[in-house]
Amino acid sequence: MVDLGNLQAIVARSSAKPLLAVLLFKFGDASGAKSFLRQWIPRTAVGAGPDADGPAFHFLFSWNGIATLLSGHTDLDVAQGRRQFEAAFVDPAQAPDGGIATQLGFFDASAPAGWWDGKFKSGDIDLAIHIGFDTPEQKADCLAQIRQSAIGFAVQELVLDSWDDGALSGCRPADGRLHFGYRDGITAPNIDWQDVPAARASDAVDCREIVVGYPNSDFPTAPFKPGPWQEFARDGSFVGLSWLYQDVAGFNTFLKDNAPQVAPHVGPGLAEEWIAAKIMGRWRHGSPLSRFPDAPPSTPQLNDAFGYGDDPNGVKCPLGAHIRVVNCRDQPLKFANQIRFPKGPPRVIRRGFSYGPHLDGTVDDGKDRGIVGLFYFARINEQFYTILRWMHLTDFADAYKQLPNGTSAQDALTGNRADPKAETRFQVALAGNSSLTFQMKQFIRYKGVAVLFAPSVKALNTMIASQG
């Protein structure tokens, strides 16, 4: 049903480009913005085919950016569009840096006041251009050309001076390992783009979890009402752009400091890796605890066909492990969430890249490092915001009631420990009804979050058309 040729490639499939960057812009007048985009949108990477040679462009817009470009359009009335899109996209109070920031875990060191190096606000972003590159030389040439073009058309780049490239930029690690040592890119939702429920594989995800324009009773995506705005939005996807700092020295220190209490159970040689695995829900080479709870296999086993239904108490994979919180698979949700999510827990597509130099050991070198994540989904509040809330407060399933203060517990990896009401102890069940408890530390910090929209190819062309 979904025309993959109408999707920006970043939605349809993962890219193998080794170098990546995200440039942020604020529009002036619509005419200059359209002229700038006419130069670059024809280079958009589209569809599910393999990467072509050269830079791979993807374009993401805020509501304000869309409204600027479509102001005066004869068929797409901006005031009507504002009413038809999801409130979390068009209402600044429901933006990540708005009134809901605290419930999403954005406070204390992750508070929006410190985002984007204090240079601008998430609401200032009208456009993000996500680009993949083949070589450093290609990246340097392309960034220079884009910046020259932006200056010529009076489009303001929102520069991040703390980055060498002046923009979010990094790489896809050659060994697939991110800064905490975990292997990345293991799983991705198997999207049923053809929308054939009768032939859908058991692990397949409805395309309505990812793209808008096909609403039904199970996935009431906005714009829900048929008409020009639904047509405009069709095959587009919302994007949660997230800049996360990773405290690698702090993480390594935590593993080292807690290894002695684990060593009697697993041996001193495995203790640190065992703790890291329990925090994530996978051994750092990628094998899931649900299949290999006691020790990592010598060769990574990346088969993703596993669940938690046979592990209700978290003996194999702790209830608070990161991958179990963000995708609880066949673990039952509490009744209210079963009503909200009749087809199972919310799913998103995760893209992104690592940034900053590698660090070994427990001494911090003062350098910035972490992840730039781009999460693609069809419903902001029901998917992106819900997962953020569940990471901050594990009250989404009755299984957590068996833990001490479990409905106030957090994702072991990403929870914001500064919440005085949160349960910051991480209980790891052992065989024989015993357990170990860890006092968790703050491992990550948000440095910028924005919710944007990745329009279809057809919609991109509509926005830069001469009309209006």
Side-chain angles (χ1 to χ4, degrees), residues 382-402:
E382 296 297 276
Q383 291 172 265
F384 186 52
Y385 284 0
T386 289
I387 293 172
L388 287 168
R389 292 186 185 103
W390 291 359
M391 290 194 298
H392 182 59
L393 192 69
T394 56
D395 63 350
F396 59 89
D398 291 335
Y400 293 91
K401 293 180 179 179
Q402 65 188 285

Side-chain angles (χ1 to χ4, degrees), residues 273-314:
E273 284 300 315
W274 187 91
I275 298 169
K278 295 297 181 179
I279 290 172
M280 173 59 75
R282 291 184 184 273
W283 298 98
R284 287 202 278 192
H285 73 181
S287 301
L289 285 178
S290 289
R291 297 178 59 217
F292 303 95
D294 300 321
S298 57
T299 301
Q301 301 296 310
L302 307 181
N303 187 334
D304 198 44
F306 66 88
Y308 305 117
D310 64 342
D311 186 29
N313 300 320

Side-chain angles (χ1 to χ4, degrees), residues 16 52 65 83 177 209 217 319 341-343 411:
R83 292 190 294 269
R177 300 288 189 111
E209 288 264 36
S217 58
L319 295 171
F341 306 108
K343 298 301 182 181
D411 183 308

Side-chain angles (χ1 to χ4, degrees), residues 151-168:
I151 292 170
F153 293 114
V155 173
Q156 177 190 354
E157 183 182 2
L158 301 174
V159 179
L160 294 166
D161 294 328
S162 64
W163 293 67
D164 291 341
D165 290 314
L168 304 172

Side-chain angles (χ1 to χ4, degrees), residues 351-363:
R351 312 291 189 215
F353 52 88
S354 181
Y355 76 90
H358 177 77
L359 178 68
D360 288 316
T362 58
V363 178

